[in-house]
Amino acid sequence: MNMSLQQKQELGLRMTTELRQAIELLQLSTYDLELYIREKELENPVIEIQEAERTDSFQERQSTNYSSQETNSTEWVKQQEVSTRDQMLRQVEIDFKDVETKQLLKTLIHGLDDNGYLCAEMQSIEHVETGIELLQQIGPPGIGSRTLQECLLLQVKSCEEYPALIETFISKYLPYVAERKWADIAKGMNITMAHVNELHEFLLTLHPRPCPELGHSETEFMMPDVIIEEKDGKLSFHLNDRDLPKIGLRKEYVSSLTGTSELSSYLRGYHKQAQWLLTSIEQRRNTIIRIVTDLLEKQDAFFRHGRKALQPMTMKDVADSIEMHESTISRTVSNKVIQTPAGTFEMRSLFTSKLAAQDGDSVSPSAVKTSIQSLVTNEDKRKPLSDQKIVDLLLKEQGITISRRTVSKYREELHILSSSKRKSIL
């Protein structure tokens, strides 16, 4: 075997620490960037943070920025809340004296799911029927139900007046209601269609989820990264970064940067990191400004009127316009929130695919969804529009070419039932 030494030249892209940092900063929201800067201050002895002047608390600043109108910021500060479950547990202590009854009710309350139904593993405990009846005294009607039928029937019992045969309608014909089989219900119950309609109208006043507030969720505040305002008919914007801390250098270390000692070499490494951090933050800022400037030009109507005026636009369109790579656009708009006169949106949601129109132009999916919603709202409920009929009307009235499958997809995203389930009784 012969041994030889050879040279080989190759081209490659190496992800440096600085490049990785710049990419990471692009994806951060303004709030996350503030946390990142404070983290770097702890890691880098050269960095000294200069706090920006703040005239309000952090919670108030978040809520004020999120609101599109001037409001009393203290109204937005989150208050400590007592959950509905805890309120019911307290009510048990007040309303009931028997120890065993208290224990039964507390067990059932702890066994309720987020909608107020009794969990499956709790349904076989002793005296569960009695417990469910007692729960009606301290909670909303239907609380602790095991099935939808039981939930609705308990609500009926709590009403002073209700239509004749409503209990039969709920207990035996609820599956028929879901399938809109009105004629079968009328025949099975031996009643008129008018009576079926009366029963259905009453059913709609009941609540399928007896206590949805049991699913306790904390309020989340969003701080916009970009704020667009309209003044004298013109749109302008600014970045919401006035409260970001300023990065400076510690004076006691500056004189040591130019020496030849081991300490100077050590500090110069951290000084270089600080300079790269400043450069990356400025690049992030300039990139956001260039993107938003282009968005103002392309989506003027959207910023004034909202979703219905959203023009079809892809990240590649913006990338080509401002001469950046598409991946840079994607990273920059990630995790960013933009506040506009028409509402507050995630920046990523402004980018949509394009659908063809008959005149050669393109239309955004948001505009198509708005048209579908309008068609369904104004349809004859006795003869609701099928997906294919919606396809035909979109093409005929608006020149939009779209498949039936796409209409079905958009309809489901809008939570619109199929035509058979939208059909009215009379």
Side-chain angles (χ1 to χ4, degrees), residues 17-18 20 53 55 83 93 122 131 154 177 182 200 202 207 219 238 244 255 280 311 338 345 412 416:
T17 303
E18 292 80 7
R20 189 180 296 111
E53 293 185 6
T55 58
S83 69
E93 291 290 345
M122 303 297 298
L154 285 172
V177 174
W182 310 122
H200 181 246
F202 180 82
H207 303 285
T219 303
H238 65 271
L244 280 178
S255 59
S280 298
Q311 297 298 310
I338 185 167
F345 310 90
E412 290 175 0
I416 298 175

Side-chain angles (χ1 to χ4, degrees), residues 261-275:
S261 65
E262 185 176 343
L263 175 61
S264 297
S265 177
Y266 173 79
L267 292 176
R268 280 196 295 270
Y270 280 112
H271 178 257
K272 182 180 179 182
Q273 292 179 18
Q275 292 295 333

Side-chain angles (χ1 to χ4, degrees), residues 2-234:
N2 295 327
M3 302 290 290
S4 62
L5 193 62
Q6 296 180 341
Q7 283 187 332
K8 187 177 181 182
Q9 188 175 12
E10 292 183 345
L11 288 175
L13 179 64
R14 192 162 63 99
M15 181 74 76
T16 64
T17 303
E18 292 80 7
L19 180 58
R20 189 180 296 111
Q21 177 181 257
I23 292 175
E24 182 181 356
L25 290 186
L26 273 180
Q27 301 176 81
L28 297 180
S29 66
T30 303
Y31 174 68
D32 290 332
L33 178 59
E34 179 177 345
L35 298 180
Y36 185 87
I37 292 173
R38 297 189 183 281
E39 180 183 329
K40 289 302 175 183
E41 181 197 23
L42 297 177
E43 297 175 359
N44 193 328
V46 174
I47 293 178
E48 181 178 33
I49 282 183
Q50 302 167 3
E51 297 291 348
E53 293 185 6
R54 303 190 185 196
T55 58
D56 49 19
S57 69
F58 177 71
Q59 290 91 341
E60 290 173 346
R61 169 166 56 89
Q62 279 186 304
S63 58
T64 301
N65 289 337
Y66 182 74
S67 174
S68 60
Q69 299 178 349
E70 293 184 3
T71 58
N72 184 356
S73 59
T74 57
E75 294 178 357
W76 291 81
V77 179
K78 189 180 186 308
Q79 302 294 323
Q80 186 68 29
E81 297 177 355
V82 179
S83 69
T84 304
R85 197 185 303 269
D86 289 336
Q87 292 176 4
M88 293 178 64
L89 290 171
R90 293 179 183 179
Q91 199 64 42
V92 169
E93 291 290 345
I94 297 173
D95 292 355
F96 300 93
K97 303 301 181 183
D98 182 65
V99 176
E100 292 185 0
T101 301
K102 286 184 180 181
Q103 188 59 44
L104 171 63
L105 292 177
K106 288 180 180 179
T107 301
L108 292 180
I109 291 171
H110 284 299
L112 298 175
D113 65 17
D114 288 345
N115 290 318
Y117 282 91
L118 196 61
C119 296
E121 58 269 20
M122 303 297 298
Q123 295 180 12
S124 59
I125 67 174
E126 191 176 1
H127 305 306
V128 65
E129 300 282 352
T130 302
I132 292 175
E133 290 294 333
L134 292 175
L135 279 179
Q136 311 309 305
Q137 301 177 24
I138 59 174
I143 189 77
S145 303
R146 292 159 291 185
T147 64
L148 176 61
Q149 281 93 340
E150 183 179 23
C151 172
L152 298 175
L153 288 171
L154 285 172
Q155 292 180 56
V156 169
K157 290 179 181 179
S158 69
C159 298
E160 294 183 1
E161 296 182 2
Y162 49 83
L165 301 178
I166 185 63
E167 293 176 312
T168 303
F169 183 72
I170 292 173
S171 58
K172 294 185 178 181
Y173 293 94
L174 207 56
Y176 289 81
V177 174
E179 298 176 7
R180 301 271 170 166
K181 295 182 177 179
W182 310 122
D184 292 344
I185 295 174
K187 182 178 179 181
M189 297 182 67
N190 193 27
I191 57 177
T192 64
M193 291 295 286
H195 195 175
V196 172
N197 185 60
E198 180 188 2
L199 295 174
H200 181 246
E201 289 295 328
F202 180 82
L203 181 66
L204 294 178
T205 66
L206 307 179
H207 303 285
R209 297 187 296 171
C211 193
E213 59 268 23
L214 272 181
H216 181 69
S217 59
E218 295 185 357
T219 303
E220 295 185 3
F221 296 101
M222 297 173 64
M223 184 174 71
D225 303 274
V226 181
I227 298 178
I228 295 179
E229 298 174 324
E230 183 178 7
K231 188 174 182 180
D232 298 329
K234 294 183 179 181

